[in-house]
Amino acid sequence: MVDTPIGAAGPFPGSEPDEAELYHPHSWLTRYVFSQDAKVIAIQYSGTALAIGFVALILSWLIRLQLGFPGLFSFIGPAEYYQIITMHGMIMVVYLLTAVFLGGFGNYLIPLMIGARDMVFPYVNMLSYWIYLLAVLVLVASFFAPGGPTGAGWTLYPPQAILSGTPGQGWGIVLMLASLILFIIGFTMGGVNYVVTVLQARAPGMTLMRMPLTIWGIFTATVLALLAFPALFVGAVMMLLDRLLGTSFFMPMIIEAGQRLHYGGGTPILFQHLFWFFGHPEVYIVALPAFGIVSDLISTHARKNIFGYRMMVWAIIAIGALSFVVWAHHMYVSGMNPYFGFFFATTTLIIAVPTAIKVYNWVLTLWRGDIHLTVPMLFAIAFIVTFLNGGLTGLFLGNVVVDVPLSDTLFVVAHFHMVMGVAPILVIFGGIYHWYPKVTGRMLDERLGRLHFWVTFLGAYLIFFPMHYLGLLGVPRRYFEITGLGFIPASAASLNAFISVVALVVGAAQVVFVVNLIRSLWHGVPAGGNPWHATTLEWQTPDTPPRHGNWGARLPVVYRWPYDYSVPGAAEDFVPQNQPSHTAGVAP
Amino acid sequence: MSLVLLYLAGLGAVSGRWLARQHLAAKPWLSAGPSLTLPPDGGTELAAKLALGIFLAVVGLLFALLVAAYGMRVPPGSTGIPLDPRLLWLTTGFLGLASLLLHRAGRAARRGAEDEAHATLLAAVAASLVFLGGQGLAWRLIWEAEAGRTADAAGSFFVLITLLHGLHLAGGLAALARIAVGAAWTGSPARLARSIGLCTLYWDALLVIWLVAFGILFRTPWSGLIDVLCRPPA
């Protein structure tokens, strides 16, 4: 490797706010509440998302209590059940996963990993969080509104979403739609900021092909989100007008309880197209940051350069592009031209190719690595296994002939929970265990972390693996109570009860995680600046936790890619990105 | 959805062209040193332009989705919207005028003629307000004629599209007001010119979006082209 002279690159450009232009907080309120520092905003995003995520976790307990022990809990009636599954799904997909990966990890890691002082537009970034918080509050308000939250299912399909037979038809659906609209406005502010920051504010020497895969994942996912959320926005606004102004975008002519409603001519399928045009890229909006983070965790904790970096980058871009031409595989049972079904089945199978490349490259990175089974590494490996499992069942469901009989069964629930629920949440945990020392300056407790990992990982498999078999038996999803279906054996009820007990245990295990987060703030082992001996820039800050502005007087200069682990001849088994070859003992 | 896919393909082509220049085939593990390939010093102005460009791409997609939804929802033989299109030709004229005035204000600011820039800016604001007022009047006429709730939904789409377009323009007006006040406060012609440049781009984009929306909602010389792009084949 050869160092090129620094002078060739100076004076260093970049449009990140420089030290003089950064808004420095002057009070506790502007430092910790209305902060414009991306790191504080990241913690605000993550805290809010995890808090609302715990609400969704409790809702999942209620779902399992009803499915495992039907009739035992009188406070869960059919209406409440549908409200619970709707809120659980929407909160988990949009308000937890999207917010944590992009708002949380994105805000914390983008400026630090690319060597910027902050996001390019810090004020807009702050607004983005507060609008997100407002969206969450509006959503939560629906729990307390007359009639309760909507029970339309997380896909909010019309016409039933706004008809009187659906729980929450009054305030619930209106608040849900308003909350989604706010969320999208807030996200767009943040998303534009992330993209511009990555494109314009990278440190000297940080070319695109020297960016860590975490940044590639977050960056591409942000682009996807900017292009996918408008479809949900349009759908939500149109449904809101149908509900409030009596338009008929989605509402066909309907006779309800003998009365003809004023609706007519609407197309429910149009909503499905809009929803899934958002909905499928949403899978990758969550998955791509997870892919990136896992790549970095594996490389760091296996002390080995990532295998096939270029392929990993190209695969991220290819997956992002392909994710916009597979949406209708969610609509096979809605009916479509058979040629369209063939087209969408084919594109669905094609997207498995770049995804498989990533899985192979993770495994090959682990191959003969110096694997340290730290807690972040455990979560990263667990992700690979889980994502592979969920992805393979996705290949089944991508085919029309398999999807049609399985579509309304628990097989689909098991599939999407493995691939989009458990897998990304394992990465969120892994990422938190990995970067918590940088955020707080202290390590999370290792024993509590391992306990948390094993209960969560094994528990998730005990919940969702048997659920595939229930689905194959034909156990339907969305049903409040499974009775009178003679083809389902009695053992299915026992299995459902078992799954519910495990779900309670796994949910309770998350308390261990929260206790660890809080306890380690004061009692964690001091971490130092770079406890994992990692190469990427966030570990090279002059202060831990990094101060506002991140880099002190001078921005870092990047000399190398982010995966120089175990370089032959180097003084240590890692060479930070900002270290010139001659000081690292690497032969020029 | 073919219009949307076409739009995304266009964005993909632009992104692909850009990515092709980013040395994605480089082998970063073989080269060390600060081989900087960032754009030349553009500072905040470049970032703001880029941010606006990305935002407009998102806004464009939003309206492409609406036009595609119109194509899927409104039957080809729709009776149309019970509104005299001359009102909308008039409002369209005012939006076009606002756009032209912003171009002129930008040129004046770049020459350092601040007073002229301010006066032209105010005229652009006034023309935009007239446009919004005209759209509001059309909105009200449609609503009073109950055309927003007909089964063929053409009136509903008019209400929806003009509402969202008007909200975007109102947001632009807020930004324009902030710029005018900010420029008066700081007295920096260069900064004023930069800010007006961004607003001009935004107004031009909203004008194009409105022309497309107008073309699908009413019969215009360019309606045939839009029909081809957004109507599913019979």
Side-chain angles (χ1 to χ4, degrees), chain B residues 89-142:
Chain B
W89 280 111
L90 190 66
T91 58
T92 306
F94 274 100
L95 186 59
L97 177 66
S99 201
L100 285 174
L101 286 168
L102 280 172
H103 279 279
R104 190 171 163 180
R107 281 197 297 274
R110 280 193 295 277
R111 289 201 308 272
E114 273 186 79
D115 289 344
E116 186 190 337
H118 272 124
T120 319
L121 210 56
L122 284 177
V125 170
S128 304
L129 286 172
V130 172
F131 170 79
L132 279 182
Q135 299 290 90
L137 178 63
W139 210 85
R140 197 176 144 195
L141 290 172
I142 291 278

Side-chain angles (χ1 to χ4, degrees), chain A residues 534-569:
Chain A
T535 57
T536 40
L537 285 185
E538 80 276 22
W539 299 104
Q540 323 306 330
T541 53
D543 305 292
T544 297
R547 290 173 188 274
H548 188 39
N550 295 341
W551 303 104
R554 299 190 59 175
L555 285 177
V557 176
V558 176
Y559 291 88
R560 60 191 66 255
W561 76 323
Y563 300 106
D564 267 344
Y565 289 103
S566 307
V567 177

